[in-house]
Amino acid sequence: MMANNLESTINKIGHEISQVLKEQEINKLLGVLANDGVYAMWVYVRSKKDIDENKLMEKIKPIFSYVKEMESDGFQKYFEELSKDINNLLFFREILEKVLIYARYHAKAMGDSGTDSTS
């Protein structure tokens, strides 16, 4: 059930991610994505015990088909294949970054700063 409009899909996924991750976690994902790339962000997600990798990746999955169809081999194979085409990789990174930025704004709007400070 892929939306015809990429922008509406990005907005929807951003909102869904804000429902499962705190703003602080979203910021960390954005940092890893910006500094180290798509594959590094995925590995980072896999390494975090407090992030449900499958839940997050299922939320992100609808953007995969805008770049490259995902085979049944799973996320590891998808990211390996994605990295073989620089144009697809950069497009995916741009979409993913926008999704996470929208997620951060949604989390901020919901008042979820992800911190315990009262300032």
Side-chain angles (χ1 to χ4, degrees):
M1 181 168 70
M2 179 177 74
N4 292 331
N5 184 315
L6 178 58
E7 186 69 22
S8 67
T9 302
I10 290 169
N11 184 32
K12 179 178 183 285
I13 295 169
H15 183 263
E16 290 175 356
I17 289 172
S18 73
Q19 303 296 307
V20 297
L21 294 178
K22 293 181 182 284
E23 182 183 356
Q24 182 178 10
E25 294 166 326
I26 296 166
N27 287 336
K28 288 180 183 177
L29 291 177
L30 270 167
V32 173
L33 178 64
N35 292 320
D36 303 313
V38 172
Y39 188 78
M41 192 205 79
W42 179 66
V43 172
Y44 176 80
V45 167
R46 292 180 64 205
S47 73
K48 299 303 288 180
K49 301 291 185 224
D50 56 335
I51 297 177
D52 184 338
E53 168 194 353
N54 290 325
K55 185 182 275 187
L56 178 61
M57 296 309 292
E58 285 302 318
K59 295 212 178 292
I60 293 172
K61 198 172 179 180
I63 65 171
F64 288 11
S65 60
Y66 282 98
V67 180
K68 178 179 178 11
E69 288 296 325
M70 183 172 178
E71 304 294 328
S72 60
D73 297 335
F75 298 115
Q76 176 71 32
K77 185 70 171 173
Y78 180 84
F79 288 118
E80 287 174 7
E81 291 299 315
L82 182 64
S83 67
K84 293 179 181 178
D85 183 331
I86 190 69
N87 292 323
N88 282 344
L89 180 62
L90 293 175
F91 183 55
F92 185 85
R93 181 179 178 160
E94 184 177 334
I95 294 171
L96 186 55
E97 181 178 36
K98 196 167 188 179
V99 163
L100 292 172
I101 289 169
Y102 283 12
R104 178 174 56 189
Y105 287 139
H106 281 293
K108 187 177 289 289
M110 293 184 309
D112 175 24
S113 65
T115 64
D116 293 332
S117 74
T118 56
S119 54

